[in-house]
Amino acid sequence: MAEESRSIAYICPHCRQSVIVQRTVFQLAAAPLEIPCPCGKSALRTELMGPRTRFEVPCVACGRTHAVECDTHDVLHRRALAFSCSATGLDCCYVGEEQAVYAAVRRLEGAVDKLHAEAGERGAFLDEIVMHEILSELRDIAQRGGVSCTCGSREWRLKVNYSSVELTCARCGGTLRIPAATEEDITDLCCKPALQIHGR
């Protein structure tokens, strides 16, 4: 049986090319990992430290490097994890199954193109129309009672970012991030009759 592997991806803030690698679970656990961009100007670093995993991610949205920590079990077993820029709300790194990671990177490439095309005329959101549609769809899902948390709670708070929306469970603090940058984000949300926050 082939060993389980994880795909890790980010977009280089210098040359804007997507960097996607696959590593086995053993490779991730064995030693700290550095994933350089072929241009040589950026590198993602990750290290499994027992129950927690640390990432240092070059961010295409703000140009800085974000340090994030998350649950090692999620890194090794969740279908897809996304880490986002604290300044813009735009994704900056994905970890998970190959197909899910590649699909997420394609969407992020579209959002990054839009981000750089509109540089200098930045409004409240990356795309006002997309954000309006996402919030409208969210309102419809909420009115149907379609938002819940794995902890059992149905109470949540909403935070609107530059290119995403965050739902936070009022009971356990678990969060669900919904991208709001491209037409694909609208299509993706419209396909979901309900939303579930991943509880803590």
Side-chain angles (χ1 to χ4, degrees):
M1 189 172 118
E3 190 181 349
E4 189 181 351
S5 66
R6 304 265 83 192
S7 291
I8 303 172
Y10 72 99
I11 295 180
C12 174
H14 299 281
C15 69
R16 288 194 218 144
Q17 74 173 302
S18 299
V19 182
I20 307 173
V21 300
Q22 268 200 311
R23 294 292 182 266
T24 64
V25 169
F26 175 77
Q27 287 172 314
L28 289 171
L33 180 67
E34 183 169 295
I35 302 165
C37 176
C39 80
K41 292 182 178 173
S42 73
L44 179 146
R45 292 172 184 84
T46 182
E47 182 178 5
L48 269 68
M49 303 176 297
R52 305 293 289 170
T53 297
R54 179 178 172 82
F55 288 86
E56 289 178 19
V57 183
C59 180
V60 69
C62 71
R64 296 195 306 271
T65 298
H66 298 298
V68 288
E69 272 191 25
C70 68
D71 187 84
T72 295
H73 183 271
D74 288 346
V75 171
L76 299 181
H77 302 291
R78 287 269 296 273
R79 183 172 175 271
L81 285 175
F83 303 114
S84 57
C85 170
S86 52
T88 65
L90 205 64
D91 290 346
C92 57
C93 173
Y94 300 107
V95 181
E97 296 172 5
E98 184 179 17
Q99 201 172 352
V101 167
Y102 272 88
V105 168
R106 277 196 302 274
R107 286 165 60 171
L108 180 59
E109 287 168 346
V112 168
D113 289 345
K114 196 178 284 192
L115 178 72
H116 291 286
E118 294 172 10
E121 50 179 270
R122 181 168 162 169
F125 306 114
L126 179 61
D127 188 311
E128 305 274 342
I129 295 166
V130 170
M131 182 61 80
H132 173 77
E133 291 293 327
I134 291 285
L135 291 172
S136 175
E137 190 62 33
L138 263 176
R139 187 180 64 240
D140 291 347
I141 294 170
Q143 285 173 344
R144 295 194 301 265
V147 181
S148 63
C149 180
T150 54
C151 79
S153 174
R154 288 192 167 272
E155 291 186 30
W156 47 277
R157 293 184 301 277
L158 175 75
K159 181 184 175 194
V160 180
N161 300 311
Y162 180 58
S163 61
S164 66
V165 176
E166 227 167 81
L167 306 182
T168 304
C169 174
R171 184 193 293 170
C172 73
T175 59
L176 173 66
R177 216 181 124 279
I178 299 163
T182 64
E183 295 287 332
E184 287 85 357
D185 295 334
I186 299 170
T187 306
D188 187 50
L189 186 60
C190 288
C191 294
K192 294 176 177 163
L195 295 170
Q196 191 165 55
I197 298 166
H198 189 71
R200 288 183 172 165

